[in-house]
Structure formats: structure tokens, C-alpha cells
């Protein structure tokens, strides 16, 4: 197996600034290769969607945002149509006025929460990622185990661990977390809110807080007004049923408000506590600063230990700019672009071939689960994977379609799968690719979990540790762009098969190439580890 | 050899990139480490470099400073349901423009003549200050310009 193939292509000449490309943009890029300037949002690697030429950013799934908007609109409209005339006549004109102001506040802050960039950190450029890798290697331990991907910094005389994000290829700044739904690292990550259909982070937390506070005011206000309305109608001994018959819409509003007021008020109270102590939901849930480990040293290092200062800094602090520069133009580099477009053209032609190859390989692997044939099949699969690795641009499309194809997993992995989260990130080609293709049951969990390894705080189980480490080592040493990621996947297939030492492949043609390729690869990883 | 910015792009080739990481000792406010990288030792004098980085840190601190003006801005924004962000340029953005001008000026005056180029951190997500080291295309053949990813030989 020829591992040197991918090394000959210089990633610096090939790669566009973004390391990964979503599949639909791959097609768009080929169509647009004649145009000169593209905006950066068109090549955004995360799972966000953009509207109005990059001015509006939302998460991939709008979640329940339409429901939220719908409920608010319906309740308020019903209130204005059915309750306000009565209350206007019998009480005061301020009631609709206050209701109107609150409603406007709620809708505006909701839309701002949903459509604002929460504080997404752009992914590291290939040069940066390489520099970080170099630093990690230099400070690595001398044991066989690769260095842990954490870095410790002192913040306000307290030790804080920074984790390495494998997707974004950088050490996450403090309080930053990677949202798997949006596939982005978000600064001061609070949570991903399905009600607003976006992450809540540094830049839109104040909008979110305004939204829930004004919504709780609005809900309480409407509830109170409707109750007053019904009470006034039911006066004079006529009874509540009579009042409800006269104004049935009020019943609807009452029900909606009654059920939402508890949750909204609770949420507002919770977030007020978070704001006052300068915490995020993420930190609070994980108990980062509550001293769970029992050391006296923990305490929130970001808090100013003063409620007012905390509130002011969170809500009234300076508004940081958006770091992803959605509407900026992509830098045009002539030499790299021509090479890139050539590769894209070639990739497009190879897509059909690769799809055929993939289907064949999946079929072959699925057809036989026999361990004695495992070696031969792994060899066959690695050849097929090498063929697939020739496809550069189109591979990601393929992998996404492969993940959606109804191929059940080949083997039942042992204990490892339980430690891995269920959601596989389909954007990560190494994760998507392997479970469908490899016949090796032990290889499956290591590769399946590889993409999620960064989310684990505990170390992986001992048994497939070797495989985990080879996987990660391969990823970080040999890959620079999405085009190389397919080659990364190819490397994995051969490596675990080699490590697990299955019965030697019966076909001599496949054997030597397979063996030497994996050997060279393992030798290389050993050399770098020691 | 002396370059100006245009000459740098046309006649010199990229040899290496140095990254100055963030300094989180003060929390999440934006500060960069002032440690002098070894690759720049032969290219630029240490006081000049440190002065640039310190000045950048001062500017960022000014942008993120929480004082009377920022609170006023924040409260006003809250009162108008944050709609003023659509029409007004925030103080942070003003300072960022100032930083951009400063970096441009530093590049023209100090760094380009020494074959270096500072990239504005905003273009790298405020994670790093990227300093590109250029070599004359004619001179060093050993310099593999595109293999800065391997990071082995800088010179």
C-alpha cells in the first residue's frame, strides 16, 4: 500500500484556507470556479446556514424556533384582539401599550439571539495547526503513550486546563466549548438552545438574557391581564363559565401562559444566578468550579466576586466583534486556485468511480463476517480504500452519503463502544468512513470513537488504546486538508488490521503491499513516539 | 536586504511562520504572549518586537475595558433592544480599526524592511499573532517555502 502518495501532494499549494468543506459547497465551488471573488461564508466549515449574503447566521436545524415564534405571536395577537378592547374600556390605556412594548422587545431579542453569531471561533489555519502539533511533540513525554491533548494555564492564580479541539485543530481558549450540533467552537459557550435555534455564547448571551427576561415579563403580564379580564367579566355573580363563553380566546391564552410561565420564570431565575456569578450553563452543569474534585483551589476564576460587577461585565460589557468575517471575500491565490480547480475537476470525474468502488467494498465486507477471511478482506478493503484515496474533493461527499446508506455495522465492538457517545459527527470523514467499510470488529470502535475522542475527559480503555493512539497520531501528523483526510482513512484500515495480526492474507498480490505499507506506517509512528 | 511591502510579496518567498499565542493569565481578555521567538532572533531586535506586542496588548485592553463608556453603551443598547448595534459602530470596532492601522504602519516601517510581516490577529480569530518570515527567492535554495507545515528548517 503506497502511503507516500499523499505526501507527494503539497497541502500548502492545494488547500483553501478552510480545512473542511461541506458537500454542497463542493458542487457550488465547481460551478463557480470561473468567478473571481467568493464570500467567506460560502466556504464555512461549520454546520451553520447563512442568509442575506452572510448577514444572518443560523444553526443547521432551526430547532423549535418557528414554534417559539408562533406561540409568542399567537398568544400576543389573541391578547390584543380579544382582551385589550375590554381592558382598554374598563381599565387603562397603558395595558396595550405595555403589552406592545414587551412584545416588541421579545421578538427583537429573540431574532437577534437566533441570527447573531454566538462567538464562533474560526478553525485554525493549516500553518497554525502544524505549529501547535510541533509544540505538542516537543513537550511530549518519553513514554509510548502520546502526550495528552491538554494545556494548563494559570488564570488568576488558578490552574485551568485547556483542551485541544480535534475538529478545529487548536487549543480551546478558556470557557470555549465545541458545539457538536453546529460543529463549531464557541467562545464562552453557554448552551445550544433549540428554542432559539442557535448556540448561546459570548456574543449573543445578552440578547438571550433579554429575551427570556422580557418573555417572562410578557407571559406574566398577559396572564395577569387575562385573569383580570375574566374576573371582571365574571363579576356580578355571573360566574367564570359565562366569562369564558364570552371570550374563549382568553382560555387559550390562559393555558399557554400558565404552562410557560413556570419554565420561563425558572429559566430567567437560573440565568440571573449565572449572570450574577459570571458562570455559564456549561460550567454550571459540569461543575467546573464547584469543587467536585475536592481541592480547595477551585472557585470561579472569572468572577469578579461582586454581583454588580459580574452583571455589568456580562450584560453591559463591550460587544466583541464576529471573528468569522462572514461577508469578507476569500483570498484569491492564483497558483493554488488553478491547482485546486484541477483537482476538483478530476475529483468530480472520479466521484462515480469512487462511489462504485465504495459500494463494492461495502458489499464485500458485509457479505463475509468470517474471521479467517478477515485478513484477506482487510487487504482487499485496503486496496479499495487506496483507490478511494485517489479521490480528493469528492470523498467527503461520498463519505456523507456512505454514512447515510443503510449498511449496518459489521462487527459488534467490545466494551469500547459503550464509552463512546452515540452521535457520530458525520462531518468527520474518518469517523464516518470506517464503520461501514472495515470488517475488523476491534478496529471499528477505535475508529468510530476517534472523532469523538476529544470530548472524553477520561482516558480510553486499555484494550484498543494502541489503535486509538495510532489513529490520532495519523490524524495529526499526516493530514493537512480535507483532501488528505481520505488518505487518513485509508491509513487506518491498514493499520488496525496489521496490529490485530489477523491470519495472513492468502492472496500474495495483496499481502506484501499491504504488509509493507502498514509496517512503514507503524515504524513511522513508533519513531515519532519515541 | 531591504524590502517594502510590495517587494516582499513579489520577490520574496515565504520561509516560515511564527505564532504568538494568547496569554490567558488575566482571564479571557485578549492578551498575547510577549515571549521573543527564537526564529526571529536574527531578523529583528528584541526591544522593537516587544514594543509592538506590548502596544497591541494595550490596544486590546482598551477595546475590552469595562468602564463608564462601555457600560453606557451597553445600557443604551439594552434600552433600544440592541437595535443600535445595527447602525452604530461599537467602541470595540473602532479600536480594532485603530489596531489594523497600527499593524499596517508597523509592517511598513519596521517589519517589511526586515523581511517580516505581521498578520492582524482578527484574521486568525484572535488566537495568534502570525508573523511570516520571508526569504529572498534568489538567495536560499534550501528553504522549502511550502513546507512550513513540517517546520523543520526555518532558515
Amino acid at each position: 500500500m503506497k502511503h507516500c502518495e499523499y505526501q507527494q501532494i503539497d497541502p500548502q499549494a492545494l488547500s483553501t484556507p478552510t480545512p473542511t468543506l461541506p458537500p454542497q459547497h463542493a458542487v457550488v465551488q465547481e460551478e463557480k470556479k470561473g468567478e473571481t471573488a467568493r464570500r467567506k461564508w460560502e466556504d464555512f466549515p461549520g454546520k451553520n446556514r447563512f442568509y442575506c449574503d452572510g448577514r444572518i447566521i443560523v444553526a443547521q436545524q432551526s430547532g423549535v424556533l418557528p414554534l417559539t415564534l408562533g406561540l409568542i405571536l399567537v398568544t400576543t395577537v389573541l391578547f390584543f384582539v380579544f382582551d385589550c378592547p375590554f381592558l382598554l374600556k374598563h381599565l387603562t390605556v397603558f395595558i396595550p401599550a405595555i403589552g406592545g412594548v414587551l412584545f416588541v422587545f421579545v421578538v427583537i431579542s429573540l431574532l437577534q439571539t437566533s441570527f447573531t453569531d454566538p462567538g464562533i471561533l474560526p478553525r485554525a489555519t493549516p500553518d497554525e495547526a502544524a505549529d501547535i502539533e510541533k509544540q505538542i511533540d516537543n513537550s511530549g513525554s518519553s513514554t509510548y503513550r502520546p502526550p495528552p491533548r491538554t494545556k494548563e494555564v494559570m488564570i488568576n492564580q488558578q490552574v485551568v486546563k485547556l483542551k485541544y479541539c480535534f475538529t478545529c485543530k487548536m487549543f480551546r481558549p478558556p470557557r470555549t466549548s465545541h458545539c457538536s450540533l453546529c460543529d463549531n467552537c464557541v467562545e464562552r459557550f453557554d448552551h445550544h438552545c433549540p428554542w432559539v435555534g442557535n448556540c448561546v455564547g459570548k456574543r449573543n448571551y445578552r440578547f438571550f438574557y433579554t429575551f427570556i427576561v422580557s418573555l417572562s415579563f410578557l407571559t406574566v403580564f398577559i396572564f395577569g391581564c387575562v385573569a383580570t379580564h375574566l374576573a371582571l367579566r365574571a363579576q356580578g355573580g355571573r360566574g367564570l363559565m359565562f366569562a369564558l363563553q364570552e371570550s374563549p380566546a382568553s382560555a387559550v391564552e390562559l393555558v399557554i401562559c400558565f404552562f410557560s410561565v413556570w419554565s420561563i420564570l425558572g429559566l430567567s431565575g437560573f440565568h440571573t444566578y449565572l449572570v450574577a456569578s459570571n458562570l455559564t450553563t456549561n460550567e454550571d452543569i459540569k461543575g467546573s468550579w464547584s469543587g467536585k474534585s475536592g481541592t480547595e483551589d477551585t472557585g470561579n476564576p472569572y468572577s469578579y466576586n461582586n454581583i454588580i460587577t459580574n452583571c455589568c461585565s456580562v450584560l453591559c460589557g463591550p460587544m466583541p466583534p464576529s471573528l468569522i468575517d462572514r461577508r469578507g471575500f476569500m483570498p484569491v491565490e492564483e497558483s493554488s486556485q488553478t491547482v485546486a480547480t484541477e483537482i476538483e475537476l478530476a475529483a468530480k470525474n472520479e466521484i462515480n468511480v469512487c462511489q462504485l468502488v465504495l459500494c463494492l467494498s461495502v458489499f464485500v465486507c458485509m457479505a463475509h463476517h468470517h474471521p479467517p477471511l478477515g485478513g484477506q478482506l482487510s487487504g482487499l478493503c485496503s486496496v479499495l480504500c487506496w483507490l478511494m484515496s485517489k479521490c480528493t474533493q469528492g470523498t467527503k461527499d461520498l463519505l456523507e452519503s456512505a454514512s447515510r446508506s443503510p449498511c449496518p455495522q459489521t462487527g459488534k465492538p467490545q466494551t469500547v463502544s459503550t464509552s463512546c457517545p452515540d452521535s457520530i459527527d458525520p462531518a468527520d470523514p474518518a469517523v464516518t468512513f470506517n464503520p461501514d467499510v472495515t470488517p475488523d470488529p476491534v478496529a471499528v470502535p477505535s475508529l468510530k470513537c476517534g472523532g469523538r475522542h476529544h470530548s472524553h475527559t477520561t482516558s480510553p480503555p486499555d484494550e484498543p488504546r494502541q489503535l486509538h493512539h495510532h489513529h490520532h497520531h495519523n490524524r495529526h501528523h499526516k493530514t493537512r486538508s480535507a483532501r488528505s483526510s481520505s488518505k487518513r482513512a485509508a491509513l487506518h484500515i491498514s493499520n488496525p488490521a496489521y496490529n490485530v495480526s489477523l491470519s495472513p492474507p492468502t492472496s500474495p498480490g495483496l499481502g506484501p503491499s499491504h504488509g509493507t505499507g502498514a509496517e512503514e506506517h507503524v515504524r513511522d509512528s513508533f519513531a515519532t513516539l519515541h | 536586504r531591504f524590502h517594502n511591502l510590495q517587494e516582499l510579496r513579489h520577490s520574496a518567498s515565504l520561509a516560515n511562520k511564527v505564532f504568538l499565542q494568547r496569554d490567558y493569565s488575566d482571564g479571557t481578555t485578549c492578551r498575547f504572549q510577549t515571549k521573543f521567538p527564537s526564529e526571529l532572533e536574527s531578523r529583528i531586535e528584541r526591544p522593537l518586537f516587544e514594543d509592538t506586542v506590548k502596544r497591541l496588548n494595550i490596544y486590546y485592553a482598551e477595546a475590552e475595558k469595562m468602564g463608564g463608556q462601555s457600560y453606557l453603551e451597553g445600557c443604551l443598547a439594552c434600552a433600544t433592544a440592541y437595535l443600535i448595534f445595527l447602525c452604530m459602530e461599537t467602541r470595540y470596532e473602532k479600536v480594532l480599526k485603530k489596531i489594523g492601522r497600527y499593524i499596517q504602519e508597523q509592517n511598513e516601517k519596521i517589519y517589511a524592511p526586515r523581511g517580516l510581516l505581521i498578520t492582524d490577529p482578527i484574521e486568525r480569530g484572535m488566537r495568534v499573532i502570525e508573523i511570516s518570515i520571508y526569504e529572498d527567492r534568489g538567495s536560499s535554495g534550501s528553504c522549502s517555502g511550502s513546507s512550513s507545515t513540517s517546520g523543520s528548517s526555518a532558515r
Side-chain angles (χ1 to χ4, degrees), chain A residues 296-378:
Chain A
E296 315 100 39
D297 224 21
T298 50
N300 187 3
Y302 313 106
S303 169
Y304 297 94
N305 295 317
N306 177 346
I307 291 180
I308 297 179
T309 319
N310 280 339
C311 291
C312 288
S313 76
V314 175
L315 299 174
C316 304
M319 181 70 176
S322 174
L323 296 174
I324 54 177
D325 189 23
R326 309 184 283 279
R327 303 195 68 241
F329 287 99
M330 298 279 289
V332 178
E333 288 157 344
E334 300 87 4
S335 59
S336 64
Q337 208 168 27
T338 47
V339 178
T341 49
E342 279 167 35
I343 301 284
E344 283 163 31
L345 273 175
K348 198 171 189 198
N349 294 334
E350 289 182 76
I351 281 177
N352 295 330
V353 173
C354 291
Q355 273 176 339
L356 180 64
V357 164
L358 176 63
C359 290
L360 275 177
S361 58
V362 169
F363 175 70
V364 163
C365 297
M366 291 305 300
H368 307 281
H369 288 274
H370 253 267
L373 289 171
Q376 184 178 14
L377 280 173
S378 69

Side-chain angles (χ1 to χ4, degrees), chain A residues 93-108:
Chain A
V93 72
F94 283 119
I95 288 185
I98 294 174
V101 166
L102 280 175
F103 173 68
V104 162
F105 250 82
V106 165
V107 171
I108 289 180

Side-chain angles (χ1 to χ4, degrees), chain A residues 273-463:
Chain A
Y273 155 72
L274 288 181
V275 164
S277 40
N278 204 333
L279 277 174
T280 63
T281 309
N282 201 26
E283 288 165 355
D284 189 67
I285 287 179
K286 282 187 190 166
S288 313
W289 316 119
S290 61
K292 63 174 162 65
S293 52
T295 61
E296 315 100 39
D297 224 21
T298 50
N300 187 3
Y302 313 106
S303 169
Y304 297 94
N305 295 317
N306 177 346
I307 291 180
I308 297 179
T309 319
N310 280 339
C311 291
C312 288
S313 76
V314 175
L315 299 174
C316 304
M319 181 70 176
S322 174
L323 296 174
I324 54 177
D325 189 23
R326 309 184 283 279
R327 303 195 68 241
F329 287 99
M330 298 279 289
V332 178
E333 288 157 344
E334 300 87 4
S335 59
S336 64
Q337 208 168 27
T338 47
V339 178
T341 49
E342 279 167 35
I343 301 284
E344 283 163 31
L345 273 175
K348 198 171 189 198
N349 294 334
E350 289 182 76
I351 281 177
N352 295 330
V353 173
C354 291
Q355 273 176 339
L356 180 64
V357 164
L358 176 63
C359 290
L360 275 177
S361 58
V362 169
F363 175 70
V364 163
C365 297
M366 291 305 300
H368 307 281
H369 288 274
H370 253 267
L373 289 171
Q376 184 178 14
L377 280 173
S378 69
L380 178 64
C381 285
S382 34
V383 170
L384 291 169
C385 300
W386 174 77
L387 282 172
M388 275 205 57
S389 73
K390 303 295 277 174
C391 316
T392 53
Q393 186 83 14
T395 307
K396 199 156 172 3
D397 305 44
L398 275 171
L399 299 175
E400 296 233 327
S401 59
S403 69
R404 278 182 241 115
S405 66
C407 297
Q409 268 186 298
T410 54
K412 264 294 150 234
Q414 290 134 12
T415 55
V416 187
S417 65
T418 54
S419 70
C420 294
D422 290 329
S423 60
I424 298 178
D425 178 6
D428 189 343
V431 176
T432 322
F433 180 74
N434 298 309
D436 291 332
V437 179
T438 177
D440 189 345
V442 188
V444 169
S446 74
L447 304 167
K448 179 179 171 184
C449 299
R452 281 274 162 257
H453 184 65
H454 65 273
S455 65
H456 287 292
T457 49
T458 58
S459 58
D462 286 328
E463 186 190 349

